[in-house]
Amino acid sequence: MAKIAGALVALGGLVAPSSAKTALLLIDVQDCFLESQCTSTGSAGSLSVPACGIIEKINSIQTKKACLFDEVIWSQDFHPAGHISFGSTHGLAPFAHLGGKGSLPMMCINHSSGLTHEGACCPTYHLNKTSLDCATTLCPPDGWDYAVNNSDIITDNQACVTCASNPEQCYTMYQEMWTDHCLQDGDSTFPTTLIKNASDTVVQKGWNKFVDAYSGFMD
């Protein structure tokens, strides 16, 4: 196995262009996703998962193997208040999409760039609630009116304009309902115990209120 691995490394050296660079990609290692014992504040993150063990491994790579990488790039979930992925934005509980009715229906504009900062989605319930069977499909609570209960998510939202007047220019997607998490003025920060250098690059994602973002490559 070692001989095979060595051969692959040697082959990579032969076929890789001289201009090729290496990068260490560190994805969403933030206070909002970590347990209390490793966050900057000592409180559990707003959408925490058991992941504290990753910090020691990252620090080891940063101190012992930094020479292997030309670039170190961090992605950072960086949401504004009232983000479209928050259950509270729609009067719903966090993780409401796990209740048996699926995720919340949305209509989204098509944009040629593929970049999330140019995207937008509008709740189908706002655009045409009569098209939904809320007995089987996830909807906001009975009597919910976005114009009254949360106008921020429809104001200046291009999808709510385009998909109302020209629905053929839009596509359907289904949005999971998360807790309010990784707020720009909250726990979107990086743990203070992480080794993070001034020369590292940070790519922020999820800052567009009107569309969710799971990939730093789209921002």
Side-chain angles (χ1 to χ4, degrees):
M1 184 63 71
K3 291 182 179 179
I4 294 174
L8 289 173
V9 171
L11 180 60
L14 290 173
V15 300
S18 59
S19 60
K21 290 186 176 183
T22 59
L24 174 62
L25 306 180
L26 299 162
I27 310 303
D28 295 1
V29 189
Q30 298 168 243
D31 287 320
C32 46
F33 292 125
L34 295 170
E35 305 150 285
S36 59
Q37 58 265 39
C38 60
T39 62
S40 301
T41 63
S43 298
S46 47
L47 191 55
S48 63
V49 296
C52 284
I54 197 67
I55 293 178
E56 182 179 355
K57 294 179 174 65
I58 291 172
N59 288 346
S60 178
I61 293 172
Q62 288 276 63
T63 56
K64 299 177 182 178
K65 299 183 179 180
C67 61
L68 298 177
F69 306 103
D70 297 302
E71 304 281 350
V72 176
I73 302 173
W74 305 76
S75 70
Q76 182 184 21
D77 225 26
F78 200 62
H79 293 308
H83 191 261
I84 199 164
S85 70
F86 298 168
S88 62
T89 297
H90 311 277
L92 294 168
F95 310 109
H97 59 283
L98 301 179
K101 295 183 178 181
S103 300
L104 190 69
M106 301 274 172
M107 292 291 291
C108 306
I109 57 174
N110 286 299
H111 51 97
S112 58
S113 72
L115 300 175
T116 55
H117 74 262
E118 295 184 359
C121 296
C122 186
T124 304
Y125 186 88
H126 171 69
L127 292 166
N128 185 12
K129 66 180 178 182
T130 60
S131 69
L132 301 175
D133 178 5
C134 294
T136 58
T137 302
L138 185 63
C139 296
D142 289 343
W144 182 269
D145 184 341
Y146 281 98
V148 174
N149 300 109
N150 188 8
S151 60
D152 284 350
I153 200 62
I154 59 173
T155 302
D156 298 325
N157 184 337
Q158 188 58 46
C160 292
V161 176
T162 300
C163 301
S165 58
N166 298 288
E168 70 280 359
Q169 296 181 15
C170 300
Y171 65 92
T172 300
M173 64 88 69
Y174 296 88
Q175 177 63 57
E176 294 82 3
M177 295 288 96
W178 304 115
T179 61
D180 291 26
H181 66 280
C182 302
L183 290 171
Q184 294 174 2
D185 60 356
D187 62 356
S188 59
T189 47
F190 295 99
T192 55
T193 53
L194 268 177
I195 294 177
K196 185 170 167 290
N197 301 311
S199 59
D200 296 350
T201 298
V202 175
V203 177
Q204 294 176 335
K205 59 185 180 65
W207 52 264
N208 180 349
K209 177 184 288 190
F210 303 127
V211 65
D212 207 359
Y214 295 99
S215 172
F217 289 101
M218 296 178 69
D219 285 276

PDB file of all heavy atoms in Angstrom, residues 84-121:
ATOM      1  N   ILE A  84     -33.594  33.617   5.578  1.00  0.00           N
ATOM      2  CA  ILE A  84     -34.668  32.798   5.035  1.00  0.00           C
ATOM      3  C   ILE A  84     -34.630  31.353   5.515  1.00  0.00           C
ATOM      4  O   ILE A  84     -35.634  30.646   5.493  1.00  0.00           O
ATOM      5  CB  ILE A  84     -34.647  32.846   3.483  1.00  0.00           C
ATOM      6  CG1 ILE A  84     -36.001  32.409   2.914  1.00  0.00           C
ATOM      7  CG2 ILE A  84     -33.477  32.026   2.931  1.00  0.00           C
ATOM      8  CD1 ILE A  84     -36.190  32.789   1.459  1.00  0.00           C
ATOM      9  N   SER A  85     -33.484  30.893   6.000  1.00  0.00           N
ATOM     10  CA  SER A  85     -33.360  29.513   6.466  1.00  0.00           C
ATOM     11  C   SER A  85     -33.778  29.327   7.924  1.00  0.00           C
ATOM     12  O   SER A  85     -33.833  28.197   8.405  1.00  0.00           O
ATOM     13  CB  SER A  85     -31.916  29.027   6.304  1.00  0.00           C
ATOM     14  OG  SER A  85     -31.051  29.682   7.234  1.00  0.00           O
ATOM     15  N   PHE A  86     -34.066  30.415   8.630  1.00  0.00           N
ATOM     16  CA  PHE A  86     -34.442  30.316  10.044  1.00  0.00           C
ATOM     17  C   PHE A  86     -35.929  29.999  10.158  1.00  0.00           C
ATOM     18  O   PHE A  86     -36.774  30.661   9.540  1.00  0.00           O
ATOM     19  CB  PHE A  86     -34.169  31.629  10.779  1.00  0.00           C
ATOM     20  CG  PHE A  86     -32.730  32.061  10.827  1.00  0.00           C
ATOM     21  CD1 PHE A  86     -32.396  33.347  11.235  1.00  0.00           C
ATOM     22  CD2 PHE A  86     -31.702  31.196  10.474  1.00  0.00           C
ATOM     23  CE1 PHE A  86     -31.068  33.755  11.289  1.00  0.00           C
ATOM     24  CE2 PHE A  86     -30.373  31.594  10.525  1.00  0.00           C
ATOM     25  CZ  PHE A  86     -30.052  32.882  10.923  1.00  0.00           C
ATOM     26  N   GLY A  87     -36.261  29.014  10.982  1.00  0.00           N
ATOM     27  CA  GLY A  87     -37.660  28.709  11.217  1.00  0.00           C
ATOM     28  C   GLY A  87     -38.428  29.911  11.726  1.00  0.00           C
ATOM     29  O   GLY A  87     -39.579  30.157  11.333  1.00  0.00           O
ATOM     30  N   SER A  88     -37.795  30.701  12.602  1.00  0.00           N
ATOM     31  CA  SER A  88     -38.456  31.864  13.204  1.00  0.00           C
ATOM     32  C   SER A  88     -38.876  32.896  12.161  1.00  0.00           C
ATOM     33  O   SER A  88     -39.831  33.655  12.369  1.00  0.00           O
ATOM     34  CB  SER A  88     -37.527  32.522  14.232  1.00  0.00           C
ATOM     35  OG  SER A  88     -36.347  32.992  13.613  1.00  0.00           O
ATOM     36  N   THR A  89     -38.193  32.945  11.030  1.00  0.00           N
ATOM     37  CA  THR A  89     -38.531  33.873   9.959  1.00  0.00           C
ATOM     38  C   THR A  89     -39.926  33.594   9.402  1.00  0.00           C
ATOM     39  O   THR A  89     -40.600  34.490   8.894  1.00  0.00           O
ATOM     40  CB  THR A  89     -37.484  33.786   8.828  1.00  0.00           C
ATOM     41  OG1 THR A  89     -36.213  34.179   9.352  1.00  0.00           O
ATOM     42  CG2 THR A  89     -37.826  34.665   7.644  1.00  0.00           C
ATOM     43  N   HIS A  90     -40.357  32.342   9.540  1.00  0.00           N
ATOM     44  CA  HIS A  90     -41.629  31.910   8.959  1.00  0.00           C
ATOM     45  C   HIS A  90     -42.647  31.511  10.033  1.00  0.00           C
ATOM     46  O   HIS A  90     -43.664  30.890   9.715  1.00  0.00           O
ATOM     47  CB  HIS A  90     -41.375  30.738   8.012  1.00  0.00           C
ATOM     48  CG  HIS A  90     -40.269  30.992   7.042  1.00  0.00           C
ATOM     49  ND1 HIS A  90     -40.456  31.682   5.864  1.00  0.00           N
ATOM     50  CD2 HIS A  90     -38.938  30.677   7.099  1.00  0.00           C
ATOM     51  CE1 HIS A  90     -39.288  31.773   5.226  1.00  0.00           C
ATOM     52  NE2 HIS A  90     -38.355  31.170   5.955  1.00  0.00           N
ATOM     53  N   GLY A  91     -42.357  31.871  11.286  1.00  0.00           N
ATOM     54  CA  GLY A  91     -43.263  31.515  12.371  1.00  0.00           C
ATOM     55  C   GLY A  91     -43.235  30.044  12.721  1.00  0.00           C
ATOM     56  O   GLY A  91     -44.159  29.527  13.370  1.00  0.00           O
ATOM     57  N   LEU A  92     -42.170  29.361  12.319  1.00  0.00           N
ATOM     58  CA  LEU A  92     -42.055  27.918  12.541  1.00  0.00           C
ATOM     59  C   LEU A  92     -40.961  27.601  13.552  1.00  0.00           C
ATOM     60  O   LEU A  92     -40.025  28.382  13.754  1.00  0.00           O
ATOM     61  CB  LEU A  92     -41.748  27.207  11.218  1.00  0.00           C
ATOM     62  CG  LEU A  92     -42.856  27.263  10.157  1.00  0.00           C
ATOM     63  CD1 LEU A  92     -42.322  26.799   8.807  1.00  0.00           C
ATOM     64  CD2 LEU A  92     -44.044  26.400  10.593  1.00  0.00           C
ATOM     65  N   ALA A  93     -41.069  26.437  14.154  1.00  0.00           N
ATOM     66  CA  ALA A  93     -40.055  25.980  15.096  1.00  0.00           C
ATOM     67  C   ALA A  93     -38.818  25.503  14.339  1.00  0.00           C
ATOM     68  O   ALA A  93     -38.922  25.058  13.184  1.00  0.00           O
ATOM     69  CB  ALA A  93     -40.608  24.846  15.956  1.00  0.00           C
ATOM     70  N   PRO A  94     -37.650  25.580  14.971  1.00  0.00           N
ATOM     71  CA  PRO A  94     -36.463  24.980  14.352  1.00  0.00           C
ATOM     72  C   PRO A  94     -36.696  23.507  14.067  1.00  0.00           C
ATOM     73  O   PRO A  94     -37.374  22.815  14.834  1.00  0.00           O
ATOM     74  CB  PRO A  94     -35.383  25.162  15.419  1.00  0.00           C
ATOM     75  CG  PRO A  94     -35.857  26.292  16.266  1.00  0.00           C
ATOM     76  CD  PRO A  94     -37.354  26.198  16.280  1.00  0.00           C
ATOM     77  N   PHE A  95     -36.186  23.041  12.943  1.00  0.00           N
ATOM     78  CA  PHE A  95     -36.275  21.643  12.520  1.00  0.00           C
ATOM     79  C   PHE A  95     -37.714  21.230  12.193  1.00  0.00           C
ATOM     80  O   PHE A  95     -38.038  20.043  12.188  1.00  0.00           O
ATOM     81  CB  PHE A  95     -35.670  20.702  13.569  1.00  0.00           C
ATOM     82  CG  PHE A  95     -34.296  21.111  14.019  1.00  0.00           C
ATOM     83  CD1 PHE A  95     -34.075  21.613  15.286  1.00  0.00           C
ATOM     84  CD2 PHE A  95     -33.209  21.021  13.154  1.00  0.00           C
ATOM     85  CE1 PHE A  95     -32.814  22.011  15.705  1.00  0.00           C
ATOM     86  CE2 PHE A  95     -31.943  21.414  13.547  1.00  0.00           C
ATOM     87  CZ  PHE A  95     -31.741  21.910  14.827  1.00  0.00           C
ATOM     88  N   ALA A  96     -38.573  22.201  11.887  1.00  0.00           N
ATOM     89  CA  ALA A  96     -39.947  21.877  11.507  1.00  0.00           C
ATOM     90  C   ALA A  96     -39.988  20.984  10.273  1.00  0.00           C
ATOM     91  O   ALA A  96     -40.967  20.260  10.060  1.00  0.00           O
ATOM     92  CB  ALA A  96     -40.737  23.161  11.260  1.00  0.00           C
ATOM     93  N   HIS A  97     -38.934  21.019   9.468  1.00  0.00           N
ATOM     94  CA  HIS A  97     -38.896  20.194   8.260  1.00  0.00           C
ATOM     95  C   HIS A  97     -38.772  18.705   8.572  1.00  0.00           C
ATOM     96  O   HIS A  97     -38.916  17.866   7.670  1.00  0.00           O
ATOM     97  CB  HIS A  97     -37.735  20.623   7.357  1.00  0.00           C
ATOM     98  CG  HIS A  97     -36.383  20.521   7.994  1.00  0.00           C
ATOM     99  ND1 HIS A  97     -35.918  21.448   8.903  1.00  0.00           N
ATOM    100  CD2 HIS A  97     -35.391  19.603   7.853  1.00  0.00           C
ATOM    101  CE1 HIS A  97     -34.697  21.116   9.289  1.00  0.00           C
ATOM    102  NE2 HIS A  97     -34.360  19.998   8.672  1.00  0.00           N
ATOM    103  N   LEU A  98     -38.514  18.381   9.837  1.00  0.00           N
ATOM    104  CA  LEU A  98     -38.404  16.966  10.230  1.00  0.00           C
ATOM    105  C   LEU A  98     -39.724  16.426  10.774  1.00  0.00           C
ATOM    106  O   LEU A  98     -39.781  15.286  11.230  1.00  0.00           O
ATOM    107  CB  LEU A  98     -37.305  16.811  11.293  1.00  0.00           C
ATOM    108  CG  LEU A  98     -35.905  17.259  10.881  1.00  0.00           C
ATOM    109  CD1 LEU A  98     -34.927  17.077  12.031  1.00  0.00           C
ATOM    110  CD2 LEU A  98     -35.425  16.502   9.644  1.00  0.00           C
ATOM    111  N   GLY A  99     -40.771  17.217  10.700  1.00  0.00           N
ATOM    112  CA  GLY A  99     -42.053  16.824  11.284  1.00  0.00           C
ATOM    113  C   GLY A  99     -42.929  15.952  10.406  1.00  0.00           C
ATOM    114  O   GLY A  99     -44.053  15.619  10.795  1.00  0.00           O
ATOM    115  N   GLY A 100     -42.450  15.589   9.228  1.00  0.00           N
ATOM    116  CA  GLY A 100     -43.211  14.690   8.368  1.00  0.00           C
ATOM    117  C   GLY A 100     -43.782  15.347   7.122  1.00  0.00           C
ATOM    118  O   GLY A 100     -44.282  14.661   6.226  1.00  0.00           O
ATOM    119  N   LYS A 101     -43.724  16.678   7.044  1.00  0.00           N
ATOM    120  CA  LYS A 101     -44.266  17.382   5.877  1.00  0.00           C
ATOM    121  C   LYS A 101     -43.180  17.887   4.930  1.00  0.00           C
ATOM    122  O   LYS A 101     -43.479  18.549   3.939  1.00  0.00           O
ATOM    123  CB  LYS A 101     -45.137  18.555   6.327  1.00  0.00           C
ATOM    124  CG  LYS A 101     -46.401  18.145   7.087  1.00  0.00           C
ATOM    125  CD  LYS A 101     -47.246  19.371   7.421  1.00  0.00           C
ATOM    126  CE  LYS A 101     -48.530  18.995   8.138  1.00  0.00           C
ATOM    127  NZ  LYS A 101     -49.362  20.194   8.438  1.00  0.00           N
ATOM    128  N   GLY A 102     -41.946  17.588   5.247  1.00  0.00           N
ATOM    129  CA  GLY A 102     -40.854  18.039   4.400  1.00  0.00           C
ATOM    130  C   GLY A 102     -40.460  19.475   4.685  1.00  0.00           C
ATOM    131  O   GLY A 102     -40.842  20.056   5.700  1.00  0.00           O
ATOM    132  N   SER A 103     -39.697  20.041   3.775  1.00  0.00           N
ATOM    133  CA  SER A 103     -39.173  21.395   3.946  1.00  0.00           C
ATOM    134  C   SER A 103     -40.142  22.431   3.364  1.00  0.00           C
ATOM    135  O   SER A 103     -41.090  22.095   2.656  1.00  0.00           O
ATOM    136  CB  SER A 103     -37.806  21.508   3.277  1.00  0.00           C
ATOM    137  OG  SER A 103     -36.894  20.581   3.865  1.00  0.00           O
ATOM    138  N   LEU A 104     -39.893  23.694   3.676  1.00  0.00           N
ATOM    139  CA  LEU A 104     -40.799  24.765   3.295  1.00  0.00           C
ATOM    140  C   LEU A 104     -40.640  25.095   1.801  1.00  0.00           C
ATOM    141  O   LEU A 104     -39.543  25.405   1.349  1.00  0.00           O
ATOM    142  CB  LEU A 104     -40.520  26.010   4.133  1.00  0.00           C
ATOM    143  CG  LEU A 104     -41.536  27.144   4.035  1.00  0.00           C
ATOM    144  CD1 LEU A 104     -42.857  26.737   4.688  1.00  0.00           C
ATOM    145  CD2 LEU A 104     -40.993  28.413   4.688  1.00  0.00           C
ATOM    146  N   PRO A 105     -41.729  25.062   1.023  1.00  0.00           N
ATOM    147  CA  PRO A 105     -41.634  25.346  -0.414  1.00  0.00           C
ATOM    148  C   PRO A 105     -41.245  26.798  -0.687  1.00  0.00           C
ATOM    149  O   PRO A 105     -41.740  27.727  -0.046  1.00  0.00           O
ATOM    150  CB  PRO A 105     -43.047  25.061  -0.936  1.00  0.00           C
ATOM    151  CG  PRO A 105     -43.695  24.211   0.112  1.00  0.00           C
ATOM    152  CD  PRO A 105     -43.093  24.653   1.414  1.00  0.00           C
ATOM    153  N   MET A 106     -40.374  26.979  -1.668  1.00  0.00           N
ATOM    154  CA  MET A 106     -39.904  28.291  -2.104  1.00  0.00           C
ATOM    155  C   MET A 106     -39.921  28.359  -3.626  1.00  0.00           C
ATOM    156  O   MET A 106     -39.838  27.349  -4.315  1.00  0.00           O
ATOM    157  CB  MET A 106     -38.455  28.532  -1.635  1.00  0.00           C
ATOM    158  CG  MET A 106     -38.238  28.469  -0.149  1.00  0.00           C
ATOM    159  SD  MET A 106     -38.565  30.066   0.609  1.00  0.00           S
ATOM    160  CE  MET A 106     -38.459  29.612   2.355  1.00  0.00           C
ATOM    161  N   MET A 107     -40.007  29.582  -4.128  1.00  0.00           N
ATOM    162  CA  MET A 107     -39.780  29.838  -5.549  1.00  0.00           C
ATOM    163  C   MET A 107     -38.541  30.727  -5.642  1.00  0.00           C
ATOM    164  O   MET A 107     -38.442  31.747  -4.944  1.00  0.00           O
ATOM    165  CB  MET A 107     -40.978  30.532  -6.183  1.00  0.00           C
ATOM    166  CG  MET A 107     -42.221  29.665  -6.261  1.00  0.00           C
ATOM    167  SD  MET A 107     -42.047  28.291  -7.437  1.00  0.00           S
ATOM    168  CE  MET A 107     -42.030  29.178  -8.997  1.00  0.00           C
ATOM    169  N   CYS A 108     -37.608  30.346  -6.502  1.00  0.00           N
ATOM    170  CA  CYS A 108     -36.316  31.040  -6.571  1.00  0.00           C
ATOM    171  C   CYS A 108     -36.035  31.513  -7.988  1.00  0.00           C
ATOM    172  O   CYS A 108     -36.418  30.857  -8.963  1.00  0.00           O
ATOM    173  CB  CYS A 108     -35.194  30.112  -6.120  1.00  0.00           C
ATOM    174  SG  CYS A 108     -35.456  29.380  -4.492  1.00  0.00           S
ATOM    175  N   ILE A 109     -35.354  32.639  -8.074  1.00  0.00           N
ATOM    176  CA  ILE A 109     -35.002  33.173  -9.394  1.00  0.00           C
ATOM    177  C   ILE A 109     -33.799  32.414  -9.952  1.00  0.00           C
ATOM    178  O   ILE A 109     -32.923  31.962  -9.219  1.00  0.00           O
ATOM    179  CB  ILE A 109     -34.697  34.675  -9.340  1.00  0.00           C
ATOM    180  CG1 ILE A 109     -33.558  34.983  -8.350  1.00  0.00           C
ATOM    181  CG2 ILE A 109     -35.949  35.469  -8.985  1.00  0.00           C
ATOM    182  CD1 ILE A 109     -33.112  36.437  -8.373  1.00  0.00           C
ATOM    183  N   ASN A 110     -33.787  32.287 -11.271  1.00  0.00           N
ATOM    184  CA  ASN A 110     -32.630  31.728 -11.956  1.00  0.00           C
ATOM    185  C   ASN A 110     -31.609  32.846 -12.174  1.00  0.00           C
ATOM    186  O   ASN A 110     -31.966  33.949 -12.584  1.00  0.00           O
ATOM    187  CB  ASN A 110     -33.035  31.155 -13.318  1.00  0.00           C
ATOM    188  CG  ASN A 110     -33.792  29.855 -13.188  1.00  0.00           C
ATOM    189  OD1 ASN A 110     -33.267  28.887 -12.663  1.00  0.00           O
ATOM    190  ND2 ASN A 110     -35.040  29.824 -13.669  1.00  0.00           N
ATOM    191  N   HIS A 111     -30.359  32.550 -11.893  1.00  0.00           N
ATOM    192  CA  HIS A 111     -29.310  33.539 -12.149  1.00  0.00           C
ATOM    193  C   HIS A 111     -28.127  32.825 -12.770  1.00  0.00           C
ATOM    194  O   HIS A 111     -27.750  31.733 -12.353  1.00  0.00           O
ATOM    195  CB  HIS A 111     -28.906  34.274 -10.864  1.00  0.00           C
ATOM    196  CG  HIS A 111     -28.570  33.386  -9.714  1.00  0.00           C
ATOM    197  ND1 HIS A 111     -27.281  33.041  -9.409  1.00  0.00           N
ATOM    198  CD2 HIS A 111     -29.356  32.756  -8.807  1.00  0.00           C
ATOM    199  CE1 HIS A 111     -27.276  32.244  -8.358  1.00  0.00           C
ATOM    200  NE2 HIS A 111     -28.513  32.047  -7.975  1.00  0.00           N
ATOM    201  N   SER A 112     -27.580  33.417 -13.786  1.00  0.00           N
ATOM    202  CA  SER A 112     -26.593  32.732 -14.623  1.00  0.00           C
ATOM    203  C   SER A 112     -25.263  32.496 -13.931  1.00  0.00           C
ATOM    204  O   SER A 112     -24.558  31.552 -14.242  1.00  0.00           O
ATOM    205  CB  SER A 112     -26.356  33.539 -15.910  1.00  0.00           C
ATOM    206  OG  SER A 112     -25.921  34.856 -15.606  1.00  0.00           O
ATOM    207  N   SER A 113     -24.912  33.349 -12.965  1.00  0.00           N
ATOM    208  CA  SER A 113     -23.577  33.253 -12.362  1.00  0.00           C
ATOM    209  C   SER A 113     -23.429  32.051 -11.431  1.00  0.00           C
ATOM    210  O   SER A 113     -22.335  31.527 -11.248  1.00  0.00           O
ATOM    211  CB  SER A 113     -23.248  34.526 -11.582  1.00  0.00           C
ATOM    212  OG  SER A 113     -24.022  34.593 -10.391  1.00  0.00           O
ATOM    213  N   GLY A 114     -24.537  31.620 -10.825  1.00  0.00           N
ATOM    214  CA  GLY A 114     -24.462  30.551  -9.839  1.00  0.00           C
ATOM    215  C   GLY A 114     -24.008  31.012  -8.478  1.00  0.00           C
ATOM    216  O   GLY A 114     -23.935  30.220  -7.542  1.00  0.00           O
ATOM    217  N   LEU A 115     -23.702  32.305  -8.327  1.00  0.00           N
ATOM    218  CA  LEU A 115     -23.250  32.850  -7.050  1.00  0.00           C
ATOM    219  C   LEU A 115     -24.453  33.156  -6.161  1.00  0.00           C
ATOM    220  O   LEU A 115     -25.432  33.759  -6.603  1.00  0.00           O
ATOM    221  CB  LEU A 115     -22.426  34.113  -7.276  1.00  0.00           C
ATOM    222  CG  LEU A 115     -21.156  33.942  -8.118  1.00  0.00           C
ATOM    223  CD1 LEU A 115     -20.500  35.293  -8.372  1.00  0.00           C
ATOM    224  CD2 LEU A 115     -20.180  33.000  -7.426  1.00  0.00           C
ATOM    225  N   THR A 116     -24.353  32.755  -4.896  1.00  0.00           N
ATOM    226  CA  THR A 116     -25.507  32.912  -4.020  1.00  0.00           C
ATOM    227  C   THR A 116     -25.818  34.380  -3.714  1.00  0.00           C
ATOM    228  O   THR A 116     -26.962  34.708  -3.407  1.00  0.00           O
ATOM    229  CB  THR A 116     -25.307  32.155  -2.693  1.00  0.00           C
ATOM    230  OG1 THR A 116     -24.084  32.582  -2.080  1.00  0.00           O
ATOM    231  CG2 THR A 116     -25.268  30.667  -2.914  1.00  0.00           C
ATOM    232  N   HIS A 117     -24.845  35.266  -3.820  1.00  0.00           N
ATOM    233  CA  HIS A 117     -25.147  36.664  -3.524  1.00  0.00           C
ATOM    234  C   HIS A 117     -26.045  37.287  -4.585  1.00  0.00           C
ATOM    235  O   HIS A 117     -26.608  38.361  -4.378  1.00  0.00           O
ATOM    236  CB  HIS A 117     -23.861  37.487  -3.337  1.00  0.00           C
ATOM    237  CG  HIS A 117     -23.106  37.785  -4.596  1.00  0.00           C
ATOM    238  ND1 HIS A 117     -22.018  37.033  -4.993  1.00  0.00           N
ATOM    239  CD2 HIS A 117     -23.266  38.746  -5.544  1.00  0.00           C
ATOM    240  CE1 HIS A 117     -21.549  37.519  -6.129  1.00  0.00           C
ATOM    241  NE2 HIS A 117     -22.282  38.560  -6.485  1.00  0.00           N
ATOM    242  N   GLU A 118     -26.199  36.614  -5.727  1.00  0.00           N
ATOM    243  CA  GLU A 118     -27.102  37.092  -6.762  1.00  0.00           C
ATOM    244  C   GLU A 118     -28.438  36.355  -6.750  1.00  0.00           C
ATOM    245  O   GLU A 118     -29.318  36.649  -7.562  1.00  0.00           O
ATOM    246  CB  GLU A 118     -26.446  36.960  -8.141  1.00  0.00           C
ATOM    247  CG  GLU A 118     -25.216  37.839  -8.321  1.00  0.00           C
ATOM    248  CD  GLU A 118     -24.638  37.759  -9.713  1.00  0.00           C
ATOM    249  OE1 GLU A 118     -25.190  37.000 -10.545  1.00  0.00           O
ATOM    250  OE2 GLU A 118     -23.643  38.453  -9.980  1.00  0.00           O
ATOM    251  N   GLY A 119     -28.601  35.403  -5.848  1.00  0.00           N
ATOM    252  CA  GLY A 119     -29.811  34.604  -5.792  1.00  0.00           C
ATOM    253  C   GLY A 119     -30.859  35.191  -4.863  1.00  0.00           C
ATOM    254  O   GLY A 119     -30.598  36.105  -4.084  1.00  0.00           O
ATOM    255  N   ALA A 120     -32.058  34.654  -4.946  1.00  0.00           N
ATOM    256  CA  ALA A 120     -33.140  35.033  -4.039  1.00  0.00           C
ATOM    257  C   ALA A 120     -34.244  33.999  -4.152  1.00  0.00           C
ATOM    258  O   ALA A 120     -34.503  33.463  -5.232  1.00  0.00           O
ATOM    259  CB  ALA A 120     -33.677  36.419  -4.354  1.00  0.00           C
ATOM    260  N   CYS A 121     -34.888  33.731  -3.031  1.00  0.00           N
ATOM    261  CA  CYS A 121     -36.028  32.827  -2.984  1.00  0.00           C
ATOM    262  C   CYS A 121     -37.156  33.501  -2.212  1.00  0.00           C
ATOM    263  O   CYS A 121     -36.914  34.304  -1.304  1.00  0.00           O
ATOM    264  CB  CYS A 121     -35.663  31.508  -2.299  1.00  0.00           C
ATOM    265  SG  CYS A 121     -34.408  30.538  -3.175  1.00  0.00           S
TER     266      CYS A 121
END
